[in-house]
Amino acid sequence: MSFSFDGGQRRGFAGDTLASALLASGERVFGRSIYHDRPRGIVAAGRDEPCAYVQLGEAGQSEPMQQATRVEIVEGLVAAPLAGIGSLAAEADPDRYDKVHAHCDVLVVGAGPAGIAAAWAAGRTGARTLLLEDDSALGGQLLGVAAESPGAAGRTWLDEKLAEIATFRETRVHTRTIVSGLYDGGSVYALETRIRPGEAGAPGVSARRLWQIRARQLVLAAGALERPVAFSGNDLPGVMLAGAARMYLNRFGVRCGEQAVVFTTNDSAYSAALELHRAGCTIKAIVDTRDDPRSVFVSRAREAGIDVRSGSAVAVAHGGDGIEAVTVGRLLGESSVVSELDALDCDRLLVSGGWDPQTQLLRQVGARMVAQGASSGFGIETPPPASTLAGACNGTFLLGTTLSEGPAAGERAALAAGFRAEPVVVPDVAEPLEEAPRPVFFVAPPDGDLSSCYVDLHRDATVDDVQRAVGAGLTSIEHVKRYTSAGTGAEQGRTATVNVAAVTAELIGAPLTEVGLQSARPPIIPLAFGAMAGRHRGDLYEPVRVTPIHSWHVEQGAVFEDVGQWKRPLYYPLDDEDLDAAVLRECAAVRAAVGMVDASTLGKIDVRGPDSVEFLNRVYTNAYENLAVGACRYGLMCTLDGMLFDDGVVMRLGEEHFVATTTTGGAAAVLDWMEEWLQTEWPDLDVYLTSVTEQWATIAIVGPASRDVLGRLTEIPLDNESFPFMGIRHGVVADVPARVSRISFSGELAFEVNVEGLSGLAVWDAIWQAGQPEGITPYGTETMHVLRAEKGYVIVGQETDGTVTPVDLGMDWIISKKKSQQFVGKRSLRREDTARPDRKQLVGLLPHDHKVRLPEGAQLVLDQSEPVPMRMVGHVTSSYDSVALGRTFALALLESGSDRMGETVYAPLEGRAIAAEVTGPVLFDPENERRDG
Amino acid sequence: MLLISCPWCGERDEVEFHYGGESHIAYPDDPEAITDDAWGEFLFVRNNPSGEFRERWLHTHGCRRWFNLLRDTSTHEIVRSYRMGESADQSSGAERESD
Ligand SMILES: [Zn+2]
Ligand SMILES: [Zn+2]
């Protein structure tokens, strides 16, 4: 297969990773490091790789920060090395992402020997079992051991179990699926790669799939990762983990190095050394930290003629663009210092500092860690509820033990999930015992210079940096992490965190367990935003709500605005009118003749039940017992702290039946609010609430000619006497049953026609036709806002922000003075702060220059020459140009505003200040002479 | 992500619910009769313990009922859910099996 790397064409084999293909072609320097600009090579073979990061793909498919060790070669793959930081694509991602919700009884994370065995044992009980594996292949570490190595019986057994698993109805196995996060209650996120980067997609198949899984029981079989050792020059290309070299040799047929030195603290690296030796690589020496290693692995190495140097360590790796030699010496006692130095030439140094159980998932939910004496890494103190560990992530490294531990874990999990199993027979695996390691985390170089002893290759953090952190007084591992940034890389410091903890522990003289490990947080690998978004992009990002009349607005070329999820016409431009021109025309038409507006988005809550009046008396600030059937009333709602929460009109349709309207954006919150009080504080009230917002279309006909227009469509008497202001009448409008009310949000004579939603468009059209003689003008929310502001009517959320009381708005007249009426928020209105006379109060503002419009949100000051910082006494909440007033005007909240009538305030803006006169908020028709037509 | 047992619907994902703060805060019998300080205490002051906590939840995207949860804020373990008007101890509500 051919692929592109760093602009050049390369070749590899099917099954190769980007890393194995590059190693096979002799590549040693992969890229440069993030801060120190040092050459770096491939260090690992899996998701612990700290150096070999690539940007994949092009244009919208470009994906940053992918580990070359996890990227599979496909024909046409494009990759470029990264120096520790990538860049997001500027174009939209054309790939499809999706999400799947899954539930299982047992989730097994990791399909190595322990995971396969656990999934088999759980699956055979009938438990719904999910086995997820990050790699493209099943087998875990077994993929990297030589075919002739011990444990053949074990592998045959696992193959049989995999074949059996394939027959289980309730067990599913997914490869290329990395579990990235574990959350409370067995909630798990996993990312499945369905189309590999560079691979041609198939129609309808998502490139990635985010699994959201709820698991009753979790079996963690995520294995262990090899730990490097920090010594001088340990970042040189050619310094590699021993297990990685073994994996490249046995799985990918890539021999790393001609002349290798092996540096180890344990037996595992001997297998790597022997297998490489057999493959033709010269093993110059095995440098073993242990004083007297004598396991069968050691004897075999000696038999093969390999120089085993016990009680020793590599102190320095030398070289330019890659390792050329190492300085080796004898460890002095328990210290990290070496003596009796010797030099060995080599082109590879294979390191094994020990193996760290991969427990991040459990640590994400707060599992505590303890340093494990024998294996030298950290283990989980107590697994969280409903979780079990098996295999290497449990500190079990022998295949034989793993093959009894895995099934036991799977069975235990199935049992806990309510399933029963027959006893399991596991194979006897003959394998030699390993000897205890002698952990060494860091070796001091003879010259004492710690600045190239790397503890985190990804972040370019050194032992020197940790020393400086500790020197600065930091002893918490979380502080050391933030000071050095060690462990903060995209691979979450998989090769770094234990060494950072160990170096810190040594420097502050505390036990490793006490220092602990850095917190683990999801996601375990960088997760593409596309995967998190799934199908929630573009049109599907959020639901869009439209009224039954929407198609008419679209046909008329309305410009829409989003109000919550609703699409509402903002204005209806004629020819090439802009917003200002259209709004002046629409306003003039309404005040002079007639306009119509689609008010269907207003929230409507049906209130029924014998205690409806009492309920409304408690949630609104005014009283409802004296509201007659067939009449409506404007009401305010406060939060418990006395702040205005929503407003609307309450219509009484029957003795025990009301409809309360809410603001468009507040509908859901108001219904929730009412339900909360009914359910939690007033369960004794017999009241039922139903949202009927979408069941009704609401059309307001507004202006002096509105009575004439509506009169052509209905038999309902519309004169003031038969149908007074704030009255409600039922009848037929345009052949459709309708509820009509005389509500005005503009000060003009107006009728609100409510019909069932499906008839909305027909009735709208009939009104439109009927109004042609008067030139009826459809108008949008902006004109609606100007008309109401001219009358000083507030909009909740524009004049208010959760810190404004009805009193601040001059609406004391809507607050019941009756002692017995205890509405929500009442007590708060006389709290010391709420009752202050110098609170910000609603006023009108008239700019001295009639043409200047104050910007909404502008701060107000009393003295424009005051030096900065000026004392801000208020702010502009609404500001418009008014055709009715022949000038600009604004509404504002102003400290002690009601006492400042006639005063001048200033809005200081960049390079100028706008002066405006303070006035009352009602600027148009203060005597309400237009209301009745 | 919590797995919350609604006393009306059973176990559901946390995304279906809304949190409603501390439970069992009694509304003052006569708000007009108490001082500003006492009213302010009722309005704004809540416990924030590390450990077991009684809290209100709303099954917003389900039955739309409010209920109570006894939850450990340090381990996120849900001890019990119970209906409005019940106390945590007398609850006949759903009890999560301990693992
Ligand atoms: Zn805090
Ligand atoms: Zn429910």
Side-chain angles (χ1 to χ4, degrees):
Chain A
M1 290 185 167
S2 72
F3 63 97
S4 153
F5 178 72
D6 207 5
Q9 283 303 309
R10 307 299 179 94
R11 297 199 68 80
F13 293 97
D16 259 334
T17 62
L18 188 55
S20 68
L22 290 170
L23 285 167
S25 66
E27 199 87 16
R28 283 231 293 181
V29 178
F30 185 90
R32 316 288 299 185
S33 71
I34 182 166
Y35 297 122
H36 299 170
D37 193 31
R38 286 165 67 101
R40 292 283 163 80
I42 293 162
V43 173
R47 63 176 133 124
D48 45 341
E49 173 57 44
C51 295
Y53 273 83
V54 288
Q55 180 105 16
L56 292 179
E58 291 164 309
Q61 285 175 312
S62 179
E63 200 170 351
M65 297 308 287
Q66 301 298 305
Q67 289 161 307
T69 49
R70 292 183 70 244
V71 174
E72 293 176 52
I73 295 294
V74 300
E75 189 69 42
L77 178 76
V78 178
L82 290 174
I85 197 158
S87 55
L88 291 174
E91 302 88 346
D93 188 340
D95 283 341
R96 175 183 286 208
Y97 297 83
D98 67 5
K99 293 182 187 176
V100 162
H101 288 262
H103 295 259
C104 62
D105 296 307
V106 180
L107 171 66
V108 182
V109 179
I116 294 170
W120 168 76
R124 67 199 282 269
T125 68
R128 179 169 294 180
T129 304
L130 205 48
L131 172 62
L132 302 182
E133 168 57 48
D134 177 26
D135 205 289
S136 59
L138 304 172
Q141 284 296 327
L142 288 184
L143 295 167
V145 305
E148 68 278 11
S149 57
R155 269 181 289 178
T156 312
W157 187 80
L158 285 169
D159 285 341
E160 287 166 20
K161 298 310 150 201
L162 275 172
E164 225 176 293
I165 284 174
T167 68
F168 295 160
R169 272 179 49 116
E170 295 290 347
T171 299
R172 297 177 73 179
V173 182
H174 287 267
T175 55
R176 299 191 180 100
T177 304
I178 184 164
V179 175
S180 73
L182 174 62
Y183 305 83
D184 294 306
S187 171
V188 174
Y189 277 63
L191 181 71
E192 179 178 14
T193 301
R194 305 181 73 214
I195 299 170
R196 294 168 292 177
E199 191 175 25
V205 177
S206 57
R208 309 285 166 81
R209 171 172 282 173
L210 191 67
W211 286 76
Q212 293 167 251
I213 303 160
R214 185 69 81 167
R216 286 190 193 284
Q217 294 286 322
L218 175 79
V219 177
L220 188 69
L225 290 173
E226 203 164 25
R227 179 183 343 113
V229 178
F231 51 84
S232 185
N234 64 330
D235 67 324
L236 278 174
V239 180
M240 181 181 251
L241 292 168
R246 195 180 179 202
M247 180 67 80
Y248 286 119
L249 179 69
N250 294 315
R251 180 175 177 186
F252 299 104
V254 181
R255 194 184 67 207
C256 297
E258 303 293 323
Q259 307 213 349
V261 171
V262 176
F263 174 25
T264 187
T265 65
N266 61 83
D267 277 345
S268 74
Y270 282 81
S271 301
L274 278 166
E275 286 163 13
L276 279 162
H277 169 76
R278 268 183 244 128
C281 173
T282 305
I283 305 296
K284 301 284 287 262
I286 298 178
V287 181
D288 193 323
T289 55
R290 296 172 296 184
D291 281 328
D292 186 18
R294 46 174 74 202
S295 72
V296 63
F297 298 97
V298 181
S299 336
R300 278 185 203 150
R302 289 201 165 111
E303 280 159 24
I306 298 173
D307 174 14
V308 176
R309 300 192 177 193
S310 59
S312 299
V314 170
V316 185
H318 307 274
D321 263 359
I323 189 167
E324 289 158 15
V326 291
T327 298
V328 177
R330 286 195 69 81
L331 281 163
L332 288 174
E334 292 297 300
S335 78
S336 56
V337 181
V338 289
S339 65
E340 299 171 44
L341 303 182
D342 188 12
L344 293 168
D345 288 343
C346 61
D347 64 356
R348 284 277 167 188
L349 174 60
L350 309 179
V351 181
S352 179
W355 292 81
D356 292 323
Q358 293 304 292
T359 53
Q360 283 102 329
L361 278 179
L362 299 183
R363 281 158 55 211
Q364 284 175 3
V365 291
R368 287 168 51 84
M369 305 297 297
V370 283
Q372 293 175 327
S375 76
S376 78
F378 281 86
I380 292 283
E381 191 181 54
T382 318
S387 66
T388 320
L389 296 99
C393 73
N394 196 33
T396 302
F397 293 98
L398 287 176
L399 183 60
T401 321
T402 297
L403 291 187
S404 56
E405 194 173 288
E411 200 177 296
R412 210 160 48 241
L415 198 65
F419 295 82
R420 291 207 171 277
E422 305 290 307
V424 175
V425 183
V426 295
D428 255 337
V429 179
E431 58 190 326
L433 286 178
E434 290 191 356
E435 222 170 83
R438 174 190 172 183
V440 166
F441 302 96
F442 130 78
V443 185
D447 65 1
D449 181 4
L450 303 173
S451 65
S452 53
C453 298
Y454 286 86
V455 287
D456 188 338
L457 274 67
H458 186 56
R459 299 297 304 165
D460 267 350
T462 65
V463 174
D464 197 35
D465 295 328
V466 178
Q467 198 164 46
R468 264 187 289 122
V470 171
L474 309 179
T475 52
S476 153
I477 195 66
E478 297 295 343
H479 292 157
V480 171
K481 168 185 177 176
R482 281 150 185 82
Y483 191 93
T484 61
S485 90
T488 64
E491 95 299 14
Q492 298 201 325
R494 240 156 241 133
T495 53
T497 47
V498 173
N499 283 344
V500 175
V503 171
T504 304
E506 188 172 319
L507 289 172
I508 64 178
L512 192 50
T513 292
E514 208 168 282
V515 170
L517 279 185
Q518 303 170 0
S519 302
R521 294 189 182 86
I524 269 187
I525 52 137
L527 212 56
F529 287 130
M532 287 187 247
R535 302 293 294 276
H536 297 270
R537 298 168 60 184
D539 287 347
L540 298 181
Y541 175 65
E542 211 191 5
V544 171
R545 301 172 78 184
V546 296
T547 75
I549 307 161
H550 186 74
S551 60
W552 193 93
H553 306 319
V554 173
E555 277 166 30
Q556 294 292 314
V559 175
F560 290 90
E561 72 164 332
D562 291 333
V563 183
Q565 292 171 333
W566 288 103
K567 294 280 175 205
R568 296 198 72 180
L570 178 63
Y571 63 104
Y572 298 79
L574 288 183
D575 305 322
D576 42 10
E577 275 180 334
D578 62 4
L579 171 71
D580 288 346
V583 167
L584 285 176
R585 173 182 51 77
E586 289 174 8
C587 286
V590 174
R591 296 271 187 229
V594 62
M596 61 196 293
V597 61
D598 181 358
S600 307
T601 62
L602 284 184
K604 303 167 202 78
I605 299 168
D606 193 81
V607 181
R608 288 178 201 241
D611 295 320
S612 295
V613 167
E614 175 60 21
F615 171 70
L616 294 170
N617 279 347
R618 293 187 193 180
V619 291
Y620 285 97
T621 62
N622 47 355
Y624 289 86
E625 64 270 12
N626 60 356
L627 179 64
V629 173
C632 49
R633 179 166 289 169
Y634 177 67
L636 299 178
M637 230 176 265
C638 287
T639 43
L640 205 44
D641 57 0
M643 302 302 150
L644 187 57
F645 166 55
D646 204 73
D647 67 348
V649 170
V650 177
M651 302 181 234
R652 189 165 201 172
L653 303 179
E655 279 305 319
E656 299 178 355
H657 184 197
F658 296 78
V659 169
T661 67
T662 73
T663 56
T664 296
V670 170
L671 182 62
D672 283 352
W673 175 246
M674 290 176 161
E675 275 289 350
E676 180 179 344
W677 282 95
L678 270 182
Q679 290 183 30
T680 66
E681 293 292 340
W682 310 323
D684 51 313
L685 291 189
D686 196 357
V687 176
Y688 303 89
L689 306 175
T690 311
S691 164
V692 293
T693 302
E694 285 168 347
Q695 279 66 29
W696 294 90
T698 305
I699 304 162
I701 312 171
V702 184
S706 56
R707 184 177 282 130
D708 298 337
V709 173
L710 182 57
R712 293 168 197 147
L713 298 170
T714 184
E715 302 288 314
I716 302 172
L718 300 178
D719 60 284
N720 276 317
E721 208 147 312
S722 328
F723 194 169
F725 182 61
M726 295 306 260
I728 305 166
R729 295 295 177 267
H730 288 86
V732 172
V733 173
D735 304 324
V736 172
R739 183 168 72 219
V740 184
S741 52
R742 272 198 58 195
I743 297 164
S744 179
F745 196 40
S746 60
E748 298 296 329
L749 173 69
F751 296 87
E752 228 176 67
V753 180
N754 287 277
V755 293
E756 58 134 351
L758 287 176
S759 303
L761 182 57
V763 174
W764 173 277
D765 201 51
I767 295 169
W768 163 254
Q769 299 296 344
Q772 285 311 309
E774 287 81 8
I776 193 166
T777 301
Y779 65 92
T781 49
E782 187 67 8
T783 290
M784 183 175 84
H785 289 172
V786 176
L787 297 173
R788 63 88 205 178
E790 288 169 347
K791 285 290 292 173
Y793 297 153
V794 300
I795 291 183
V796 173
Q798 181 147 353
E799 269 65 43
T800 72
D801 58 5
T803 67
V804 180
T805 71
V807 183
D808 298 336
L809 298 172
M811 292 175 145
D812 326 41
W813 56 277
I814 309 180
I815 299 173
S816 168
K817 304 296 181 297
K818 267 198 327 189
K819 242 188 145 158
S820 58
Q821 187 177 346
Q822 268 299 334
F823 60 82
V824 171
K826 182 180 187 184
R827 174 64 182 83
S828 293
L829 292 178
R830 62 177 179 87
R831 287 180 69 228
E832 191 181 335
D833 183 67
T834 322
R836 262 190 303 120
D838 60 346
R839 288 175 62 85
K840 284 186 180 180
Q841 291 151 353
L842 184 72
V843 296
L845 293 181
L846 294 172
H848 287 180
D849 182 336
H850 292 197
K851 293 199 168 3
V852 170
R853 203 190 306 177
L854 285 157
E856 288 178 357
Q859 293 293 322
L860 300 172
V861 299
L862 297 175
D863 174 5
Q864 59 170 323
S865 58
E866 194 182 343
V868 175
M870 306 169 96
R871 196 172 86 82
M872 295 175 286
V873 293
H875 64 274
V876 176
T877 58
S878 297
S879 179
Y880 307 99
D881 196 355
S882 164
V883 68
L885 302 173
R887 55 161 304 140
T888 57
F889 74 103
L891 296 176
L893 287 167
L894 181 65
E895 266 181 38
S896 307
S898 47
D899 294 334
R900 294 191 196 278
M901 293 303 141
E903 288 182 24
T904 298
V905 293
Y906 302 88
L909 304 169
E910 232 171 317
R912 66 188 174 131
I914 300 175
E917 183 191 331
V918 179
T919 171
V922 185
L923 293 165
F924 183 74
D925 185 27
E927 308 302 327
N928 292 330
E929 284 164 354
R930 307 177 63 87
R931 197 184 71 188
D932 294 328
Chain B
M1 198 80 75
L2 299 173
L3 188 61
I4 296 175
S5 187
C6 168
W8 305 90
C9 308
E11 286 187 339
R12 298 297 160 93
D13 198 284
E14 184 182 339
V15 297
E16 294 187 12
F17 298 86
H18 270 100
Y19 185 65
E22 187 174 7
S23 196
H24 304 293
I25 305 282
Y27 194 90
D29 285 337
D30 183 2
E32 298 302 324
I34 62 175
T35 63
D36 268 13
D37 280 354
W39 179 251
E41 185 87 9
F42 160 71
L43 270 188
F44 303 119
V45 180
R46 295 293 182 268
N47 288 310
N48 184 22
S50 171
E52 284 197 356
F53 192 45
R54 283 152 214 264
E55 52 197 23
R56 307 184 320 155
W57 286 79
L58 169 64
H59 194 185
T60 318
H61 304 292
C63 62
R64 299 186 62 81
R65 303 299 294 173
W66 282 90
F67 61 94
N68 296 300
L69 212 57
L70 178 59
R71 189 177 68 97
D72 191 310
T73 59
S74 59
T75 63
H76 301 184
E77 188 204 351
I78 294 169
V79 182
R80 189 175 299 127
S81 68
Y82 55 103
R83 296 174 184 186
M84 281 292 150
E86 293 179 337
S87 82
D89 315 314
Q90 70 174 43
S91 123
S92 57
E95 185 148 358
R96 214 179 139 193
E97 285 172 38
S98 53
D99 305 292

PDB file of all heavy atoms in Angstrom, chain B residues 6 8-9 59 62-63, ligand 2:
ATOM      1  N   CYS B   6     -36.559   7.232  39.202  1.00  0.00           N
ATOM      2  CA  CYS B   6     -37.750   8.057  39.430  1.00  0.00           C
ATOM      3  C   CYS B   6     -38.767   7.195  40.172  1.00  0.00           C
ATOM      4  O   CYS B   6     -39.018   6.068  39.765  1.00  0.00           O
ATOM      5  CB  CYS B   6     -38.315   8.535  38.093  1.00  0.00           C
ATOM      6  SG  CYS B   6     -39.953   9.270  38.236  1.00  0.00           S
ATOM      7  N   TRP B   8     -41.733   7.193  40.051  1.00  0.00           N
ATOM      8  CA  TRP B   8     -42.903   6.913  39.211  1.00  0.00           C
ATOM      9  C   TRP B   8     -42.533   6.070  38.006  1.00  0.00           C
ATOM     10  O   TRP B   8     -43.334   5.276  37.523  1.00  0.00           O
ATOM     11  CB  TRP B   8     -43.540   8.220  38.729  1.00  0.00           C
ATOM     12  CG  TRP B   8     -43.878   9.127  39.856  1.00  0.00           C
ATOM     13  CD1 TRP B   8     -43.076  10.089  40.404  1.00  0.00           C
ATOM     14  CD2 TRP B   8     -45.077   9.149  40.634  1.00  0.00           C
ATOM     15  NE1 TRP B   8     -43.704  10.706  41.455  1.00  0.00           N
ATOM     16  CE2 TRP B   8     -44.932  10.150  41.617  1.00  0.00           C
ATOM     17  CE3 TRP B   8     -46.262   8.411  40.579  1.00  0.00           C
ATOM     18  CZ2 TRP B   8     -45.940  10.429  42.548  1.00  0.00           C
ATOM     19  CZ3 TRP B   8     -47.256   8.703  41.503  1.00  0.00           C
ATOM     20  CH2 TRP B   8     -47.084   9.701  42.472  1.00  0.00           C
ATOM     21  N   CYS B   9     -41.314   6.258  37.464  1.00  0.00           N
ATOM     22  CA  CYS B   9     -40.968   5.624  36.180  1.00  0.00           C
ATOM     23  C   CYS B   9     -39.885   4.562  36.291  1.00  0.00           C
ATOM     24  O   CYS B   9     -39.674   3.804  35.352  1.00  0.00           O
ATOM     25  CB  CYS B   9     -40.483   6.673  35.182  1.00  0.00           C
ATOM     26  SG  CYS B   9     -41.598   8.054  34.999  1.00  0.00           S
ATOM     27  N   HIS B  59     -38.327  14.982  36.949  1.00  0.00           N
ATOM     28  CA  HIS B  59     -38.212  14.093  35.792  1.00  0.00           C
ATOM     29  C   HIS B  59     -38.772  14.820  34.570  1.00  0.00           C
ATOM     30  O   HIS B  59     -39.861  14.499  34.073  1.00  0.00           O
ATOM     31  CB  HIS B  59     -38.947  12.780  36.061  1.00  0.00           C
ATOM     32  CG  HIS B  59     -38.589  11.703  35.079  1.00  0.00           C
ATOM     33  ND1 HIS B  59     -39.188  10.483  35.058  1.00  0.00           N
ATOM     34  CD2 HIS B  59     -37.673  11.686  34.079  1.00  0.00           C
ATOM     35  CE1 HIS B  59     -38.674   9.751  34.075  1.00  0.00           C
ATOM     36  NE2 HIS B  59     -37.751  10.472  33.474  1.00  0.00           N
ATOM     37  N   GLY B  62     -39.843  13.017  31.178  1.00  0.00           N
ATOM     38  CA  GLY B  62     -40.454  11.746  31.548  1.00  0.00           C
ATOM     39  C   GLY B  62     -41.835  12.061  32.066  1.00  0.00           C
ATOM     40  O   GLY B  62     -42.649  12.649  31.364  1.00  0.00           O
ATOM     41  N   CYS B  63     -42.071  11.749  33.345  1.00  0.00           N
ATOM     42  CA  CYS B  63     -43.405  11.937  33.909  1.00  0.00           C
ATOM     43  C   CYS B  63     -43.629  13.370  34.377  1.00  0.00           C
ATOM     44  O   CYS B  63     -44.726  13.715  34.779  1.00  0.00           O
ATOM     45  CB  CYS B  63     -43.611  10.971  35.065  1.00  0.00           C
ATOM     46  SG  CYS B  63     -42.456  11.254  36.427  1.00  0.00           S
TER      47      CYS B  63
HETATM   48 ZN    ZN C   2     -40.666   9.803  36.133  1.00  0.00          ZN
END
